[in-house]
Amino acid sequence: MKFRVERDVLAEAVTWVARGVPARPSVPVLAGILINADAEGSITLSAFDYEVSARITVPADVQDAGTVLVLGRLLSDISRNLPAKPVEFSTSGNKVEVTCGSSRFSLMQMPEGDFPTLPTAPEASGTIDGGAFTQAVAQVAIAADRGDTLPILTGVRVEIDGDKMTLLATDRYRLAMRELHWNPAATDANQVLLVPGRTLLDTAKSLGTTGSIDLAFGGAAGGDGLVGFEAGQRRSTTRLLDGEYPKVSSIFPTSSETEVVLATADLVEAVKRVALVAERNTPVRLKFGEGHVTIEAGTGDDAQASEAVEATLTGPELEIAFNPHFLLDGLGAVGTAYTRISFTQPSRPAVLSGQNEADGDADTSYRYVLMPVRFAS
């Protein structure tokens, strides 16, 4: 095998594929990236750990077609640090020689025959705008559980109903839901998927800049239990989580007694400052009154802080406490100039949604439900 490829093209391709290389592979061969050079003038790089597959095809000047398997993370490190000159790959015995300007590397070939067969290329079940999908995934994935106690909660629930897509995630302390539209291949599309949250977020971020993303479910993704993504020459599949996701939709309050509208950035900055004196795992207290909200933290002989922010209150005044990090996550995900917070009572969940103008309507396509923290008073 022998080919030449531009350094930036190689670095970008290897970085994309290295997503599918596990940090601690169950068998050594899964640490490799498979490089297939096609005589037609392209190279395809692939990685697969039985859970996530990644594959990309880029143009190259191929002199001798062939296939090799090399250590993925080593190739990733090398490709990012090469000088800005064309890179030449060639095989010599059981080595792969990488040359770029005066830089030369000799990599061991891994046994490509032991590398698992990747799932077949996904066939699109529909398409979605890359920017909208990336934003929606980021808004919801913040609420997915990061621990291993309940693996089912580490996933993002994706529900397809015709041209409507609903993303939902929860870690039992907060819940995020985003509704958006996509373009299904079949108008009667109906599907519920549980996609690993971290993988979905990583994939959406890396594909979102490419314009439109093709999504594939079930058999179209290469097999039941898989979801596939494709944009341009980048293709990826992910194994879905097994299990029944808890029925958490009932957590959304059906009515509210108090609603507050305030400038998102002002509240974010105030919470950040006041939370500086909050000890680990202690909440910040929010006192909502006419025309303002007062944020407080710290008690007794400890350091204390308070700050007031302008707010428009509708309904009875109330006092409530939140985990400051969870509150900041929600405010950051809303993504609008103003935030509307709806309450029923201080012991019940609050709902955050965005709105573009102070006196406008709330955009309920994204809702972030936050459980309050009980405090002595």
Side-chain angles (χ1 to χ4, degrees):
M1 185 191 74
K2 187 174 183 179
F3 65 85
R4 178 184 290 241
V5 62
E6 293 299 321
R7 179 259 187 190
D8 289 347
V9 172
L10 175 70
E12 185 178 345
V14 174
T15 299
W16 159 255
V17 170
R19 297 165 51 259
V21 177
R24 292 180 294 275
S26 54
V27 290
V29 74
L30 298 183
I33 286 181
L34 191 70
I35 305 174
N36 178 261
D38 191 304
E40 297 297 318
S42 67
I43 57 170
T44 299
L45 287 75
S46 310
F48 186 35
D49 67 352
Y50 293 110
E51 297 292 329
V52 177
S53 77
R55 178 165 39 192
I56 185 172
T57 300
V58 294
D61 179 12
V62 180
Q63 290 183 254
D64 297 316
T67 303
V68 295
L69 182 68
V70 295
L71 276 172
R73 295 191 179 275
L74 178 58
L75 180 62
S76 179
D77 290 341
I78 291 172
S79 63
R80 285 198 309 270
N81 288 283
L82 289 173
K85 296 180 179 180
V87 186
E88 187 170 290
F89 281 68
S90 61
T91 52
S92 176
N94 63 345
K95 297 288 183 72
V96 177
E97 308 292 341
V98 181
T99 305
C100 181
S102 61
S103 299
R104 285 176 172 74
F105 296 87
S106 185
L107 310 180
M108 284 292 296
Q109 286 195 52
M110 302 170 72
E112 65 184 78
D114 297 340
F115 195 71
T117 302
L118 273 72
T120 57
E123 297 177 20
S125 302
T127 63
I128 192 167
D129 177 76
F133 184 64
T134 301
Q135 181 194 33
V137 170
Q139 287 178 313
V140 170
I142 56 169
D145 201 341
R146 291 169 174 78
D148 296 323
T149 309
L150 286 172
I152 201 82
L153 295 185
T154 63
V156 171
R157 184 181 187 272
V158 182
E159 181 177 352
I160 303 295
D161 184 8
D163 67 346
K164 180 181 174 184
M165 177 183 294
T166 303
L167 309 180
L168 184 147
T170 183
D171 61 3
R172 295 170 294 167
Y173 303 105
R174 64 258 180 88
L175 184 156
M177 185 173 78
R178 172 69 194 274
E179 297 173 340
L180 69 165
H181 290 279
W182 75 308
N183 302 304
T187 55
D188 60 346
N190 195 283
Q191 195 103 16
V192 175
L193 316 166
L194 192 55
V195 188
R198 290 180 183 175
T199 303
L200 180 62
L201 182 62
D202 183 33
T203 302
K205 282 181 177 178
S206 55
L207 291 180
T209 58
T210 55
S212 179
I213 300 175
D214 292 343
L215 304 180
F217 313 126
D224 289 333
L226 294 177
V227 59
F229 306 89
E230 183 169 349
Q233 293 299 313
R234 302 182 179 196
R235 300 183 294 276
S236 176
T237 62
T238 300
R239 188 160 299 283
L240 302 173
L241 296 173
D242 287 326
E244 188 70 26
Y245 202 72
K247 301 185 186 303
V248 293
S249 297
S250 60
I251 293 175
F252 287 99
T254 55
S255 61
S256 61
E257 294 183 6
T258 299
E259 290 195 337
V260 180
V261 176
L262 29 68
T264 306
D266 291 349
L267 183 57
V268 166
E269 292 304 317
V271 171
K272 283 181 178 178
R273 282 189 286 268
V274 171
L276 293 173
V277 304
E279 304 240 348
R280 182 175 174 83
N281 296 325
T282 60
V284 293
R285 301 180 300 280
L286 283 74
K287 297 179 180 179
F288 293 92
E290 189 62 42
H292 68 278
V293 55
T294 303
I295 305 104
E296 300 177 346
T299 57
D301 296 330
D302 297 331
Q304 299 175 33
S306 68
E307 186 169 337
V309 174
E310 287 186 14
T312 303
L313 177 72
T314 305
E317 298 183 358
L318 62 78
E319 183 175 351
I320 196 166
F322 294 121
N323 176 308
H325 306 295
F326 292 172
L327 176 59
L328 289 170
D329 280 348
L331 292 170
V334 162
T336 51
Y338 292 89
T339 297
R340 181 187 295 257
I341 310 178
S342 305
F343 308 92
T344 51
Q345 49 186 302
S347 61
R348 300 292 299 160
V351 182
L352 279 67
S353 53
Q355 59 188 70
N356 293 316
E357 299 175 358
D359 57 353
D361 294 327
D363 178 5
T364 56
S365 65
Y366 177 67
R367 287 177 286 170
Y368 182 86
V369 179
L370 184 56
M371 295 294 293
V373 178
R374 296 185 184 276
F375 60 95
S377 66

